């Protein structure tokens, strides 16, 4: 074939040889490669039909490691000379680029020996390339030419022209493009070329200025981003000539643009320019371009800061801040001119709204100073203006305008974070202002912001805050100004001084030394509240616990604070609860505030947060005291431990009901321990909890005992001991579930134990789940069992979650779905009409907690059941189902479109449900329907708009709001 006179036949012969070489090029010897290269080079002069196969052969040879020196140069010279690359097909052009890339990777020094001829040859190869696949490779070659220092010689402008002709990239990938090349890929690849050498500057900068003036937003953005990229490698020399034009374009974009994107990129480009000029090394005789550039910016922007209508104030401030943020030198140059001006304007403008604008600009400059940390004495404008700046900020804090106060608080935070800026007397004033705002300011926004600021500044100035703020708050708390003796505290009055004091004490506890001051104050107040025995004291205890909980969360990352907190708080809370329980057992009818559910729940969250982050050694030390307290009444470690009778929560007897409620605190403690901490007498504790959960008449205590049992079982190491305790639990549950007065307690235990086992993939979990599925057909327990599926799938707030070190396996929800949903569906079809709703409710709970991608894949099989669930009269089922369907309308429009008729009918009928939550959910679903294809929706448009007129007059504002949104979209 190779010697045949017909070019097609010769081409087939060379094609076969090239395909063989592509398979075995690594096996060739040096002599063989030499012969083949000479043969292929010669074939480059052959008929044009043969050339594609010749190039494939050369590509194979370009990958050979045994290529003799000089052959790479020879091959490339032959290609440059003999082949008109741009007349070839896309794939063949790609082959040429691959040959060049291969040689550049392995024969760099040889190619550099060609000098600028190699660059010129490549320019000819690339000139006129249009295919995006080839352009990505070609751009990479150009970038390598530049970054690896190949000789460009006199061809710099030609190389620039051959690449810059594609700027800005205008490419939209065709639909279903198999190559996956995006416009962004080409933009970034070309930008890497254009911004790779200062040699392109004289050609590129005029092009960028021209494209910035374009009407196309994409061209503007690309130009601005490319300019910012170039500034990273340019110096003064490259930029000098173009600075006035660049500044003019950037200023125009910020002053006149309607696009936030363009404004943001213009400011980023200005910042980059300023940074570039800041970094340039000055020779003794050259002009300081940074100074003159900043002078022109100041000249053009400064007067706008003084205009009475304040029209261009923000754009000017943004430009000045972008330039000033580039370097400390730029910052000093700009602020020395701008800060005195802003301070002067603040005093000139009496209106709060204008003062707020000016202070926000001032704040922007203060925040820039944070970048450089310590304020240098010798050249800082800020230090020379310290008194004026503080005066302005303090005046904002006393202004009646809440919005101005909020900006003042932010400014105060920034000033406080500047090391060495605030004098000791200023600091005292800062603390006084924060106390006043936190406690006395009517508006809750200012109060919360002041507390936040105190929490931020306290670790910076711990001595000032612990010496000034904490004693003031303690004094206010003790004086109890907000309520006279005997007056009832209202739980809704969140603005009460006492409430604010508690919140502020928690907010400021962000440093270990301050925690040691605040925690005793909070605990002392808690004891005082407990002894007060007033109506409403339950809410007061909850408030203190909320503050303690916040402090606990803030201590978690510091081991020392965490242990101090745990030692101080946990025994104190246990002692108070035990005291209340023992008194209640001895003398009933006393105040039971500490034993109320909401109070115990608040204490649970405190103890849990105080325990989760303990080290295993310290946790073991603590558990050795707490567990004997509950099992043996060992109270010696509790403060104030002289109780009227013994503490025996697990003993039988009506009078011990109050003591049993304290088991909630045991649950909070043992269920939050790290899993590698051994619990003393664990088997005995588990048996006691099991007995309590099954025999107790109080639902709260029974549930707490069940949760505690489940939390321990979840972390219990696998083995015979665990199997025995689980078997014991099953033996206790089964008879109680079948009949008797405590079926509900048995169901609660079943649910929590099942959840504990489902989370850790324990084999017994499937047997217990089947038991639960069987209960759905029970007329008495069915509805509660159905709600139990929500408990199994949702994250519990106090036990059995990762935060308290529970054993939670990845994707347990998906596994539960796969194992149990088919059984739920089967049970639904076989159930009697009176219990069908239970299966639907269970199903909707499972689906509601399933990750949406999983739900979408299962949708075709389950949709008919979900639609049936909408007809169910149970509002929980309706709400759950609507909650499932709403995201599916957005994520699986094609499948949902098939059922649009049923969906429209069901949603519209539920918009007049007697339950507000159902009406809102139905309206949201009606709104989500609009994401289906328009052609599907058009037949229903008039009907839906007519039907949605009715909820526009709903008596509830939230319903009307959803109706407006949905009807507007239709």
């Amino acid at each position: 074939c190779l010697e045949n006179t017909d070019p097609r036949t010769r081409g087939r012969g060379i094609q076969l040889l090239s395909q063989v070489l592509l398979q075995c090029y690594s096996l060739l010897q040096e002599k063989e490669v030499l012969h083949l290269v000479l043969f292929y080079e010669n074939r480059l002069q052959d008929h044009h039909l043969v050339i594609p196969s010749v190039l494939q052969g050369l590509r194979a040879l370009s990958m050979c490691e045994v290529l003799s020196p000089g052959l790479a140069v020879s091959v490339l010279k032959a290609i440059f000379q003999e082949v008109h690359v741009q007349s070839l097909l896309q794939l063949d052009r790609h082959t040429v680029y691959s040959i060049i890339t291969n040689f550049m990777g392995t024969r760099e020094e040889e190619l550099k020996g060609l000098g600028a001829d190699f660059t010129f040859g490549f320019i000819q190869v690339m000139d006129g390339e249009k295919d995006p696949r080839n352009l990505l490779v070609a751009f990479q070659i150009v970038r390598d030419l530049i970054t690896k220092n190949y000789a460009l010689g006199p061809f710099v402008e030609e190389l620039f022209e051959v690449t810059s002709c594609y700027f800005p990239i205008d490419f939209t990938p065709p639909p279903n493009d198999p190559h996956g090349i995006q416009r962004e890929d080409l933009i970034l690849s070309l930008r890497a070329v254009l911004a790779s050498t200062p040699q392109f500057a004289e050609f590129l900068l005029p092009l960028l200025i021209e494209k910035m003036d374009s009407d196309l937003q994409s061209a503007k953005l690309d130009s601005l981003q490319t300019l910012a990229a170039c500034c990273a490698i340019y110096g003064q020399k490259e930029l000098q000539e173009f600075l006035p034009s660049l500044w003019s374009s950037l200023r125009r974009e910020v002053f006149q643009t309607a696009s936030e994107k363009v404004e943001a990129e213009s400011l980023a480009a200005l910042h980059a320019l300023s940074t570039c000029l800041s970094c340039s090394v000055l020779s003794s005789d050259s002009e300081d371009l940074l100074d003159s550039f900043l002078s022109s910016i100041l000249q053009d922007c400064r007067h706008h800061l003084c205009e009475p209508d304040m029209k261009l104030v923000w754009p000017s401030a943004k430009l000045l801040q972008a330039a000033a943020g580039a370097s400390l030198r730029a910052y000093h140059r700009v602020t020395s001119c701008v800060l005195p001006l802003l301070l002067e304007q603040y005093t000139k403008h009496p209106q709060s709204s204008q003062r707020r604008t000016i202070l926000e600009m001032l704040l922007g400059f203060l925040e820039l100073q944070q970048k450089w940390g310590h304020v240098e004495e010798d050249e800082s404008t800020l230090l020379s203006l310290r008194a004026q700046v503080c005066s302005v900020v303090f005046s904002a804090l006393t202004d009646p305008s809440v919005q101005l106060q909020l900006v003042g608080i932010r400014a105060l935070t920034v000033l406080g974070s500047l090391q060495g800026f605030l004098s000791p007397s200023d600091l005292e004033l800062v603390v006084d202002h924060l106390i006043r705002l936190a406690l006395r300011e009517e508006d809750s926004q200012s109060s919360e912001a002041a507390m936040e600021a105190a929490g931020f500044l306290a670790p910076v100035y711990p001595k000032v805050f612990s010496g000034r703020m904490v004693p003031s708050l303690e004094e206010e708390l003790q004086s109890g100004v907000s309520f006279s003796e005997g007056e009832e505290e209202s739980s809704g009055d969140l603005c009460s001084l006492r409430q604010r004091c508690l919140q502020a004490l928690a907010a400021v506890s962000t440093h270990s030394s301050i925690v040691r001051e605040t925690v005793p104050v909070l605990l002392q107040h808690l004891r005082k509240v407990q002894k007060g025995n007033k109506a409403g004291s339950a809410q007061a205890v909850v408030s203190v616990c909320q503050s303690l909980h916040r402090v606990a969360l803030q201590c978690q990352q510091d081991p020392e604070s965490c242990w101090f907190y745990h030692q101080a708080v946990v025994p104190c809370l246990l002692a108070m609860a035990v005291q209340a329980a023992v008194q209640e057992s001895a003398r009933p009818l006393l105040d039971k505030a500490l034993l109320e559910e909401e109070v115990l729940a608040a204490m649970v969250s405190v103890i849990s947060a105080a325990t989760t982050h303990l080290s295993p050694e310290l946790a073991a030390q603590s558990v050795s005291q707490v567990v004997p307290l509950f099992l043996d009444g060992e109270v010696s470690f509790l403060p104030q431990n002289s109780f009227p009778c013994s503490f025996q929560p697990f003993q039988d007897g009506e009078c011990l009901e109050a003591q049993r409620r304290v088991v909630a605190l045991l649950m909070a403690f043992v269920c939050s321990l790290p899993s590698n901490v051994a619990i003393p007498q664990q088997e005995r504790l588990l048996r006691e909890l099991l007995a309590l959960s099954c025999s107790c008449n109080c639902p709260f205590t029974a549930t707490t005992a069940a949760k505690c049992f489940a939390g321990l079982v979840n972390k219990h190491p696998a083995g015979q001991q665990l199997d025995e305790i689980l078997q014991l639990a099953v033996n206790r549950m089964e008879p109680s579930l079948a009949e008797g007065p405590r079926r509900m307690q048995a169901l609660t235990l079943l649910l929590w134990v099942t959840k504990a086992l489902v989370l850790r993939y324990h084999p017994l979990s499937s047997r217990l789940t089947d038991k639960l599925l069987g209960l759905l057909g029970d007329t008495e327990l069915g509805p509660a069992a159905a709600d139990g599926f929500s408990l199994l799938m949702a994250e519990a707030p106090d036990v059995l979650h990762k935060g308290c070190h529970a054993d939670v396996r990845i994707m347990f929800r998906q596994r539960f779905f796969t194992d149990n949903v088919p059984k739920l569906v089967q049970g639904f079809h076989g159930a009697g009409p009176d219990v069908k709703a239970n299966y639907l409710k269970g199903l909707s709970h499972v689906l509601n907690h399933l990750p949406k991608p999983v739900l979408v894949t299962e949708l075709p099989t389950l949709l008919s059941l979900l639609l049936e669930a909408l007809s169910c009269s149970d509002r929980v089922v309706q709400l759950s189902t609507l909650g499932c369907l709403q995201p599916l309308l957005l994520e699986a429009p094609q499948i949902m479109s098939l059922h649009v008729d049923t969906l429209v009918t069901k949603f519209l009928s539920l918009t007049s449900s007697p339950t507000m939550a159902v009406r809102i959910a139905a309206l949201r679903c009606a709104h989500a329907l609009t994401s289906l294809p328009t052609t599907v929706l058009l037949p229903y448009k008039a009907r839906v708009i007519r039907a949605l007129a009715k909820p526009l007059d709903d008596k509830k504002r939230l319903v009307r709001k959803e109706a407006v949104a949905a009807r507007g979209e239709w």
Side-chain angles (χ1 to χ4, degrees), residues 332-608:
H332 288 320
R333 176 73 183 85
V334 173
T335 51
S336 63
C337 176
V338 173
L339 288 188
L341 193 66
L342 289 174
L343 292 167
E344 182 192 324
Q345 290 300 305
Y346 186 90
T347 47
K348 264 189 189 174
H349 290 283
Q351 284 183 324
S352 294
S353 59
Q354 292 174 321
R355 285 189 157 192
R356 177 186 159 202
T357 303
I358 295 163
L359 188 56
E360 279 184 326
M361 287 189 287
L362 185 65
L363 176 61
F365 286 104
L366 294 176
E367 283 170 339
L368 288 177
Q369 175 72 59
Q370 281 181 303
K371 284 171 69 172
W372 296 286
H374 195 76
V375 186
E376 297 295 334
E377 299 228 359
D378 50 349
E379 50 180 315
S380 170
T381 316
L382 203 51
L383 268 184
S384 63
L385 297 168
R386 172 159 57 192
Q388 287 167 271
V389 171
C390 286
S391 165
V392 160
V393 172
F394 292 154
S395 83
L397 298 177
T398 52
D399 194 273
S401 160
V402 173
Q403 295 308 314
L404 182 54
Q405 281 178 16
L406 292 173
V407 181
I409 292 167
R410 279 165 53 209
L412 199 63
T413 312
V414 174
L415 290 180
S417 66
L418 297 176
Q419 236 181 328
F421 183 78
L422 294 173
S423 67
S425 59
D426 286 337
L427 267 174
E428 289 180 0
L429 254 177
V430 165
V431 173
D432 292 346
H433 276 295
L434 290 176
I435 294 170
R436 179 185 56 77
L437 287 164
L439 302 187
R440 310 277 177 216
E441 183 52 50
E442 277 181 35
D443 188 88
S444 61
Q445 270 183 295
S446 294
S447 174
E448 284 164 21
M451 291 182 202
E452 200 85 3
F456 178 80
L457 293 174
V460 188
Y461 309 102
K463 283 183 180 167
V464 182
F465 277 86
S466 63
R468 195 170 183 89
M469 190 164 188
V470 177
S472 299
L473 292 171
E474 183 179 5
E475 194 180 318
E476 293 282 10
L477 196 58
Q478 285 172 351
S479 65
V481 174
S482 60
F483 295 98
S484 61
E485 199 58 47
E487 185 183 342
E488 217 175 83
E489 268 190 55
S490 156
S491 61
D493 187 5
L494 291 176
C495 290
S496 78
L497 184 60
R498 199 173 292 173
Q499 179 81 7
R500 291 255 185 111
C501 283
L502 293 170
Q503 289 170 346
L505 280 166
V508 82
S509 304
T510 47
H511 187 270
S512 56
S513 66
I514 300 173
V515 170
R516 289 175 185 276
E517 306 272 337
T518 55
V519 167
V521 174
L522 289 168
L523 292 177
Q524 183 188 351
H525 183 66
L526 186 59
R527 290 190 198 98
K528 196 172 162 189
V529 169
Q530 183 205 6
K531 285 173 186 161
N533 282 347
K534 283 190 303 184
S537 60
Q539 184 54 46
V541 174
V542 170
S543 296
V544 184
C545 287
Q546 285 168 345
S547 289
L548 283 168
H549 182 243
R550 180 171 176 177
V551 179
L553 296 177
Q554 287 163 188
C555 288
Q556 283 178 344
Q557 302 313 316
D558 175 27
E560 188 191 333
S561 295
C562 190
W563 180 232
F564 164 78
Y565 181 92
H566 184 87
Q567 281 181 303
V569 174
V570 173
C572 179
L573 292 184
L574 288 171
M576 289 170 68
V578 169
Q579 175 86 33
V582 167
Q583 278 182 345
E584 172 67 18
S585 305
R587 291 176 294 163
L589 303 175
L590 274 172
D591 178 53
K592 299 181 186 176
L594 276 181
L595 303 174
E596 287 182 22
E597 280 182 35
E598 64 168 330
V599 173
L600 286 169
M603 291 168 92
V604 161
S605 62
V606 174
I607 292 175
S608 182

Side-chain angles (χ1 to χ4, degrees), residues 908 923 943-954 963 967:
L908 292 182
L923 286 164
R943 175 184 160 196
V944 174
I945 291 174
R946 202 162 48 244
L948 292 182
K950 187 185 170 193
L952 291 177
D953 287 332
D954 197 281
R967 194 165 186 266

